[in-house]
Amino acid sequence: MSFRPPVPATTGHPAVPPWVLRDYAVLADGERGALVDPEGRVVWLCAPRWDSDAVFCALIAGAGHFAVEPADRWHVWGGYYEEGTLIRVSRWVTADSVIECRDALALPATPDRLVLLRRMRMERGGARLRLSLDPRPGFGAHRMTNARLEGGVWTARGDGLRLRLLGAPEAEWDGESGLRGEFRLRRGEEHDLVLELASGPDGGRLEPGELWRATEREWRRAVPDCSTLAAPRDARHAYAVLRGLTSSAGGMVAAATTSLPERANTGRSYDYRFSWLRDQCYAGVAVAAHGPHELMDGAVRFISERVLEDGERVRPAYTVTGGPVPEEHALRLPGYPGGGDRIGNRAATQFQLDTFGEALQLFAAAARHDRLTADAERAVSVTVDAVERNWRRPDAGLWELEDRWWTHSRLSVVSGLRHIADVLPGATARRCTETADVIMAEARRRCLRADGRWRRAADDDGAEAALLVPLARGCPSADDPSNAVTRAYIEDRLAEDGYVYRFDHPGGPLGREEGAFLLCGFTMALATHQLGDRTGAFRWFERARAACGPSGLFAEEYDVRQRQLRGNLPQAFVHALLLECAVRLNDVSTLPF
């Protein structure tokens, strides 16, 4: 096996062209995430943490990537995740060879150091593979310098990061394009590459075998058996995604990426590398439906800390360590086709009432497993205080729009108050029940139509898929006739071809302004199940879970006509609701609440 400089590419512009979103795979270790395209190029990676600047940002037309790809351009690609992990195996078939590349971010992870593992194996025949490593810290603004080869390991530094690469001793480093080379494998041969990027001190030996074994052990420990659930393989994959997106500090990012467009050239491209409290509550409740797990415990800890620190001024989103989300600004990059180049998120300063209701539902779910900590009990009291003082205020709601008296927000806090009242004793339970009754009475007065259907908002008669969330959680109560009327109206007005949209956009058909919202598809399944229609619930569930790419990852939205993903990837709350459906729909003997 030998390295030599590759043949320069003569076609293709830019050097790392984009793919449709459904074709990307994600690697994640809880502290950061990487996107890998079908050709084996890592095109997105922020280091050392989720909200750090990107070192590889070819995804949004910046500089920086790490590629291992067949030199023979005449090939087809495929791949799969090893079940219950985010270990990704890319597979390339040429005219006379089959090549596999096994990729992972090493576990257990630390916040200041990432290790990216890449193991190539020749399954059949022989082939040349091309290596290209071009690290560009600061979203492509900087280069790594002082590159040198010592003891078979390349080292370099730049913008506060230290790089080491094992496995390419005969490649060549160029100051303009980074490290480049080629190597040949024959049938049965393997070759390892280990890349370390760190902001802290030297992380010790880069021993591929040890790193792979530790990573495999951690995935086996972290992802439970799901064989008794509906769609067990997808349920385990959902666990793996949620584990991969959840930091050791407790926060779970909404997605691994920024600026991937919800609809081309409309300005709806956002940074989701932060922890939305609502999203993490959805994930914690979903996991709790299956059983006690560290993801539920981490969610309870993270939400409790935020509530205790900020009280009624709690923000919708934080960094995964609980810090403030930076102001939104542009990077001056071209962006993914149809998208932008934004980092930071202005929604983090909004008031979103339903966040308090979702927090109470998470705390109640933890209490049912006897996992409500002392801090969480104190956070319950603070949350109830915040609801009592703020439920009358207009808020931005689930969709983070203009401040209005959104029906969903009121029903969400009612649901949270009633669930927590069921698990707490005495005076606290009575207080929560009384507050819930007051809010529900006013919500009925302002938001319930005479025909029994819930309005979108106090001043808006339209259909609203956000209402499926409290309906799925048992609010209003199961025997309330408004549930069936509202669910049927949402289906009639906002569903098409088995997919559900958020709300009507005036002046156009469904699907023109935005894709189907996959969260809504799964909550439609849960709401239908709550009404006792298990067969109908499974229809919605199966339709929604079909809206993923070959890697089994879901984005926020799905373009039904083009069968394409829209928005940042992977969207944590979609995977969370898939998991909850897999748990609740599998049990024919009981309804969710």
Side-chain angles (χ1 to χ4, degrees):
M1 173 187 315
S2 64
F3 280 80
R4 63 183 176 84
V7 176
T10 58
T11 61
H13 184 78
V16 182
W19 294 74
V20 294
L21 294 181
R22 63 182 291 118
D23 288 340
Y24 289 99
V26 169
L27 314 176
D29 64 7
E31 308 300 343
R32 74 288 293 176
L35 258 65
V36 185
D37 75 14
E39 296 289 4
R41 306 178 188 109
V42 179
V43 296
W44 178 257
L45 176 66
C46 297
R49 309 216 52 176
W50 292 109
D51 58 334
S52 301
D53 289 357
V55 175
F56 305 141
C57 63
L59 178 71
I60 57 173
H65 68 277
F66 179 20
V68 179
E69 54 192 318
D72 183 354
R73 306 307 299 168
W74 188 254
H75 66 268
V76 295
W77 63 270
Y80 58 92
Y81 282 106
E82 296 179 5
E83 187 174 340
T85 77
L86 290 186
I87 298 172
R88 177 69 179 176
V89 180
S90 297
R91 184 177 175 89
W92 303 301
V93 180
T94 73
D96 53 9
S97 65
V98 178
I99 311 153
E100 289 194 345
C101 180
R102 191 182 193 222
D103 294 333
L105 285 172
L107 294 174
T110 57
D112 62 350
R113 173 181 181 253
L114 72 88
V115 177
L116 176 56
L117 306 175
R118 313 200 76 173
R119 173 171 285 175
M120 287 65 68
R121 177 179 173 82
M122 189 61 57
E123 295 293 317
R124 180 170 62 83
R128 290 182 299 117
L129 289 99
R130 186 171 293 158
L131 164 69
S132 175
L133 172 61
D134 184 19
R136 298 289 190 94
F139 291 101
H142 308 289
R143 299 180 188 276
M144 288 284 194
T145 59
N146 300 320
R148 63 185 65 187
L149 181 66
E150 298 178 348
V153 177
W154 283 99
T155 63
R157 294 180 179 274
D159 198 33
L161 290 175
R162 177 180 49 77
L163 175 149
R164 291 196 294 166
L165 178 75
L166 173 74
E170 297 181 36
E172 297 181 0
W173 190 291
D174 178 88
E176 293 298 316
S177 58
L179 191 71
R180 293 178 179 269
E182 285 187 355
F183 59 95
R184 177 176 289 278
L185 290 178
R186 296 176 178 84
R187 181 175 180 176
E189 287 187 327
E190 292 183 346
H191 185 74
D192 284 296
L193 296 170
V194 181
L195 173 67
E196 177 192 69
L197 290 166
S199 58
D202 191 311
R205 284 200 316 154
L206 300 178
E207 207 294 309
E210 292 178 5
L211 290 164
W212 275 114
R213 287 189 291 273
T215 300
E216 293 159 356
R217 283 196 303 270
E218 180 62 17
W219 281 117
R220 286 194 297 270
R221 185 199 67 78
V223 176
D225 175 59
C226 296
S227 58
T228 62
L229 304 184
R233 183 177 178 184
D234 283 359
R236 294 199 80 208
H237 192 43
Y239 264 111
V241 170
L242 296 176
R243 167 62 183 86
L245 298 181
T246 302
S247 166
S248 58
M252 179 193 77
V253 291
T257 57
T258 182
S259 301
L260 299 185
E262 296 177 2
R263 185 168 183 260
N265 303 314
T266 61
R268 293 208 298 269
S269 302
Y270 305 107
D271 190 350
Y272 280 8
R273 300 171 299 146
F274 308 106
S275 179
W276 266 257
L277 301 193
R278 175 197 302 110
D279 296 19
Q280 189 145 12
C281 290
Y282 287 162
V285 168
V287 169
H290 190 212
H293 187 276
E294 63 187 24
L295 287 172
M296 179 192 73
D297 295 336
V300 169
R301 173 166 58 92
F302 187 77
I303 303 300
S304 298
E305 289 171 352
R306 306 288 78 74
V307 169
L308 292 176
E309 287 175 6
D310 293 335
E312 67 182 82
R313 294 183 301 279
V314 72
R315 295 184 290 275
Y318 295 81
T319 68
V320 294
T321 57
V325 173
E327 290 290 328
E328 186 178 287
H329 63 281
L331 294 169
R332 297 185 179 177
L333 294 175
Y336 182 87
D341 62 345
R342 299 180 185 178
I343 58 174
N345 199 298
R346 65 175 181 269
T349 61
Q350 292 180 338
F351 170 59
Q352 297 174 15
L353 177 66
D354 66 300
T355 299
F356 296 109
E358 301 304 335
L360 290 173
Q361 291 181 66
L362 172 65
F363 296 147
R368 294 187 186 98
H369 291 293
D370 197 25
R371 304 288 275 266
L372 194 66
T373 63
D375 279 349
E377 289 186 11
R378 291 195 296 120
V380 167
S381 180
V382 173
T383 304
V384 174
D385 287 345
V387 169
E388 289 177 337
R389 286 194 290 267
N390 291 280
W391 69 266
R392 295 176 180 82
R393 287 176 57 189
D395 74 299
L398 172 57
W399 308 135
E400 300 177 339
L401 304 173
E402 70 279 4
D403 284 355
R404 293 168 70 180
W405 223 78
W406 299 105
T407 307
H408 159 264
S409 296
R410 276 74 206 165
L411 295 184
S412 289
V413 293
V414 169
S415 181
L417 288 165
R418 288 180 174 171
H419 282 298
I420 202 68
D422 288 341
V423 297
L424 293 182
T428 302
R430 288 193 296 274
R431 175 190 174 197
C432 291
T433 299
E434 290 168 0
T435 302
D437 289 346
V438 170
I439 298 172
M440 178 59 91
E442 184 64 6
R444 286 183 178 277
R445 186 183 74 82
R446 297 182 64 172
C447 302
L448 188 66
R449 289 163 43 102
D451 61 2
R453 175 174 65 80
W454 287 100
R455 295 185 175 95
R456 186 179 183 216
D459 59 349
D460 188 338
D461 248 10
E464 174 57 83
L467 293 170
L468 294 169
V469 179
L471 265 60
R473 302 278 184 256
C475 180
S477 57
D479 58 352
D480 193 307
S482 68
N483 293 336
V485 174
T486 302
R487 195 215 65 85
Y489 186 74
I490 293 169
E491 178 178 357
D492 180 64
R493 295 295 300 274
L494 299 179
E496 185 176 77
D497 197 25
Y499 295 100
V500 184
Y501 295 81
R502 295 189 300 169
F503 49 83
D504 280 321
H505 288 272
L510 291 174
R512 191 185 74 172
E513 294 299 321
E514 64 180 19
F517 214 74
L518 296 178
L519 172 76
C520 300
F522 287 119
T523 53
M524 175 65 88
L526 291 173
T528 303
H529 185 236
Q530 177 73 14
L531 290 168
D533 181 3
R534 187 165 181 265
T535 300
F538 263 101
R539 291 195 185 103
W540 291 107
F541 174 60
E542 292 297 339
R543 196 60 166 154
R545 78 182 183 103
C548 62
S551 60
L553 299 175
F554 294 91
E556 189 172 43
E557 297 180 14
Y558 184 66
D559 186 320
V560 177
R561 178 175 296 179
Q562 297 188 62
R563 300 180 187 270
Q564 296 290 355
L565 305 183
R566 294 285 180 260
N568 287 295
L569 190 75
Q571 190 72 31
F573 63 38
V574 180
H575 290 271
L577 268 293
L578 183 153
L579 175 60
E580 185 173 356
C581 283
V583 175
R584 299 197 189 281
L585 270 59
N586 194 57
D587 189 352
V588 70
S589 64
T590 61
L591 290 174
F593 295 100

